[in-house]
Amino acid sequence: MTLHAPYDPSNIFAKILRGEIPAVTVWEDDHVHAFMDVFPQSEGHVLVISKTSTARNLLEVEPDTLATLTAAVQRTAHAVARALSPDGFSIMQFNGEAGGQTVFHLHFHIIPRWSDRPLKGHGQAGMADMAELKATAAKIAAAL
C-alpha cells in the first residue's frame, strides 16, 4: 500500500476496535487503545492506536489526535519500564508498505529491549502464548 490510499475498515485494528477480533488490552479510554502485539518482537511489545481516527499513517493524522497518541505512548512506555525493567525500549511507527507498515491504521509500537536478548524481526515473530500475553498485560496495567 502506498502512503495515499483510502482507509480500509476491514483492517485488523479496525476489527479490534469494533470488537470483532479479541485483543489483550493493557488500557484504553475514549480516545486510545493500548494492547499487546500478538506477534511480539520482544516480551512486553505493546501497540497504541487511536479509537477516533481513521488515519492510515503519520501524514494523515489530525494534530490533536497525534498529541493524544503521543501522550498515550509516553504513559504506556513508563508503565512498561516500571513493570518489566528493560535495559531500554524502542518506539517504532511505520508509514506505507515501503516504510515497513503492515497494518494500515496509524499505530505506535513500544518494544522493551534487553542487552542480552535478541530482537525478533517486525512481522516475523511467531504468535505469542495468550496466557503469557495476558499476564504481561496485567503487569503493565498495574504499573500505570
Side-chain angles (χ1 to χ4, degrees):
M1 289 236 162
T2 68
L3 287 175
H4 308 290
Y7 182 80
D8 179 3
S10 67
N11 76 69
I12 193 164
F13 294 166
K15 289 179 179 182
I16 287 170
L17 290 174
R18 291 192 301 267
E20 296 170 6
I21 295 176
V24 178
T25 299
V26 174
W27 72 277
E28 65 181 316
D29 62 20
D30 291 341
H31 305 282
V32 173
H33 190 184
F35 55 97
M36 303 304 293
D37 192 319
V38 296
F39 296 100
Q41 291 182 258
S42 176
E43 176 191 357
H45 183 163
V46 179
L47 300 170
V48 179
I49 66 173
S50 172
K51 293 171 76 173
T52 61
S53 178
T54 58
R56 295 174 57 250
N57 57 57
L58 192 68
L59 301 177
E60 297 175 356
V61 69
E62 305 84 357
D64 290 345
T65 300
L66 181 58
T68 299
L69 281 171
T70 302
V73 168
Q74 183 183 43
R75 175 183 185 214
T76 308
H78 274 295
V80 167
R82 284 190 292 268
L84 303 178
S85 300
D87 297 321
F89 59 89
S90 296
I91 303 294
M92 297 187 184
Q93 194 279 309
F94 303 97
N95 296 278
E97 189 172 5
Q101 188 174 10
T102 56
V103 178
F104 299 94
H105 181 111
L106 178 66
H107 60 286
F108 291 83
H109 298 256
I110 301 167
I111 306 170
R113 305 287 300 269
W114 288 267
S115 302
D116 60 346
R117 299 184 202 176
L119 184 67
K120 298 173 188 170
H122 176 63
Q124 299 171 356
M127 185 174 249
D129 177 81
M130 287 300 122
E132 288 178 16
L133 280 185
K134 289 177 182 178
T136 303
K139 276 188 201 177
I140 298 167
L144 286 167

